Amino acid sequence: MNIHTDKIGCLFDLDGVLVDTAVYHYKAWKALANRLGFDFTEAQNEHLKGVNRMRSLEMILDWGGVSKNEEEQLELAAGKNEEYVEMISKMTAEEVLPGTLQLLEQLKAAGIKIALGSASKNSGLILERTNLAHYFDAIVDGNHVTASKPDPEVFLKGAAAIGLEPAHCIVFEDAQAGVQAAINGGMKVVGVGQQNNLQGANIVVKDLSEISVTQIIDLVNDKV
Ligand code: BG6
Ligand code: MG
């Protein structure tokens, strides 16, 4: 027998799944690297997807061969975030990625619960600016978790916040660490992006316009 739709949940990563903020992260990190006297490439930026702010900084300092103490690191991260927040404060609903609104509307109509599971501490601002906040039954982000993806904490908290079993939840992710976090949490995963960055995902789509509510229901019911 099929699981009833009100027992099914969709847990969405934010950056790279619903909106494309990677470009803003890139600009702000690049400015920081340049101030410290080294460059930061788009290829390196790819490795920071799904990685939290302090860990991202550590990786960048490593690539630049620069060492900073804890206090300096906190200051650098705060400076980067200030610049990043200035950019995302100007975001608009036009920056929502293709297929997002249609899918969120269809999930709501089907009675499927929707939660956010993001590493970002800025998710509230981004969801407000892009007019997406009202779709979410629960928001779990970098302000609520201590462990970074691939630890499943963010998604387990998301499932708990909407009162559903992890096995009845589907995670939408654009980062390998996020796919792994979902698998570690016992959830199904829809990878958004390129297959080679999304090993282990049950389905991979280019963007959310390529997935339907029927496929989501089938996936939870092990029919995919
Ligand atoms: C993730 C992004 O969603 O959030 C990472 O993919 C980012 O690139 C992380 O570092 C933390 O974001 P923030 O907004 O808290 O600095
Ligand atoms: Mg992401």
Side-chain angles (χ1 to χ4, degrees), residues 13 15 25 29 48-53 56 80-81 84 118-122:
D13 173 50
D15 298 314
H25 280 296
W29 283 130
L48 302 183
K49 289 189 174 168
V51 178
N52 71 27
R53 194 181 308 162
S56 299
K80 178 268 174 178
N81 191 55
Y84 176 68
S118 166
S120 173
K121 294 187 170 178
N122 294 301

Side-chain angles (χ1 to χ4, degrees), residues 21 24-25 80-88 122 126:
T21 44
Y24 302 126
H25 280 296
K80 178 268 174 178
N81 191 55
E82 216 173 285
E83 219 165 305
Y84 176 68
V85 166
E86 207 179 305
M87 291 188 263
I88 58 172
N122 294 301
I126 296 168

Side-chain angles (χ1 to χ4, degrees), residues 9-28:
C10 286
L11 307 178
F12 288 93
D13 173 50
L14 175 65
D15 298 314
V17 172
L18 305 176
V19 290
D20 189 11
T21 44
V23 51
Y24 302 126
H25 280 296
Y26 175 60
K27 280 186 188 159

